[in-house]
Amino acid sequence: MQPYYVHNNMLDPIERSLYHALHLVICQRAFLFTKVHLSDLISASAGQSALLDNQELTTQRADFVLCDRNTTRPLAIILLLDPNHSLSEQSERIGHTAKICTEVGLPVVGIQRQSIYAMHDLSSVIEPLLANSSHSDDFTNGDRIEEQETPAGHRTLGSATNLKQGKRQPPLYPGYGVLRALAGKLS
């Protein structure tokens, strides 16, 4: 008999349900990581080591982390709230995590545990987080890099067409409209 075994599922059924729903809302515009320790997201600065003890950061974790597709910079953390626990128990569980994240400028979103998630409810929470992040050239966001010829005759890659206009354009990759329509029908 082996002393270890691999779990059949990394996420419980409710976490998987939220994970799949969030993937539909994010629609390839960001990465979504699960069960990430705060020490992977936040480091204590030299003068703040008492406040942000590294041991404390390794024991606390975010249920989900929304990250920029290009840099993997954390955009926000998502914590699952359990309706079976009292408000004081939940406050104790997430209070310190939320305080640390808020102090470093990392938004915290609390989502109630439920078996089914309404897409429009998730969209209203997630869309502002994606809109506030700065995105660089990314093919999945409809940005296209164009080849340009320099005066010396060399070919270089130019800036993305959407970024030249100075505005963030909605994603234009194949299937985006279909996914948005499907998400609207499911909610």
Side-chain angles (χ1 to χ4, degrees):
M1 183 170 182
Q2 294 183 1
Y4 301 102
Y5 67 95
V6 176
H7 290 271
N8 289 333
N9 297 306
M10 191 172 122
L11 304 172
D12 68 33
I14 291 176
E15 291 170 333
R16 273 196 316 273
S17 176
L18 179 58
Y19 181 81
H20 292 298
L22 285 170
H23 259 284
L24 282 175
V25 171
I26 293 166
C27 210
Q28 298 184 7
R29 294 175 290 160
F31 285 133
L32 183 64
F33 297 103
T34 62
K35 299 184 179 187
V36 178
H37 288 281
L38 291 187
S39 62
D40 295 326
L41 306 171
I42 300 170
S43 296
S45 59
Q48 298 294 323
S49 59
L51 175 64
L52 298 173
D53 181 40
N54 198 32
Q55 178 68 21
E56 181 181 17
L57 292 176
T58 57
T59 59
Q60 294 183 27
R61 67 170 192 158
D63 295 310
F64 297 96
V65 179
L66 188 64
C67 294
D68 182 84
R69 281 188 61 81
N70 296 313
T71 64
T72 64
R73 183 183 192 289
L75 302 174
I77 67 167
I78 300 169
L79 301 174
L80 280 171
L81 307 175
D82 194 344
N84 297 329
H85 291 108
S86 70
L87 198 54
S88 62
E89 288 174 327
Q90 288 191 62
S91 295
E92 185 178 318
R93 177 186 165 259
I94 66 169
H96 194 65
T97 301
K99 181 179 182 238
I100 291 171
C101 291
T102 304
E103 285 178 0
V104 297
L106 188 59
V108 178
V109 175
I111 297 177
Q112 287 290 333
R113 287 180 68 92
Q114 49 197 21
S115 56
I116 299 172
Y117 294 92
M119 301 309 287
H120 62 34
D121 291 340
L122 288 177
S123 291
S124 66
V125 172
I126 301 300
E127 289 297 332
L129 299 171
L130 294 173
N132 290 337
S133 67
S134 61
H135 296 278
S136 58
D137 298 346
D138 182 1
F139 286 105
T140 61
N141 288 328
D143 297 331
R144 302 293 183 258
I145 297 178
E146 300 174 346
E147 256 188 30
Q148 297 176 347
E149 202 165 307
T150 63
H154 296 92
R155 290 184 173 221
T156 63
L157 294 178
S159 61
T161 56
N162 287 346
L163 296 178
K164 285 180 190 175
Q165 298 165 358
K167 293 185 208 173
R168 176 120 174 94
Q169 300 292 322
L172 299 174
Y173 52 85
Y176 177 75
V178 173
L179 286 174
R180 292 293 288 186
L182 178 64
K185 288 179 183 178
L186 291 175
S187 56

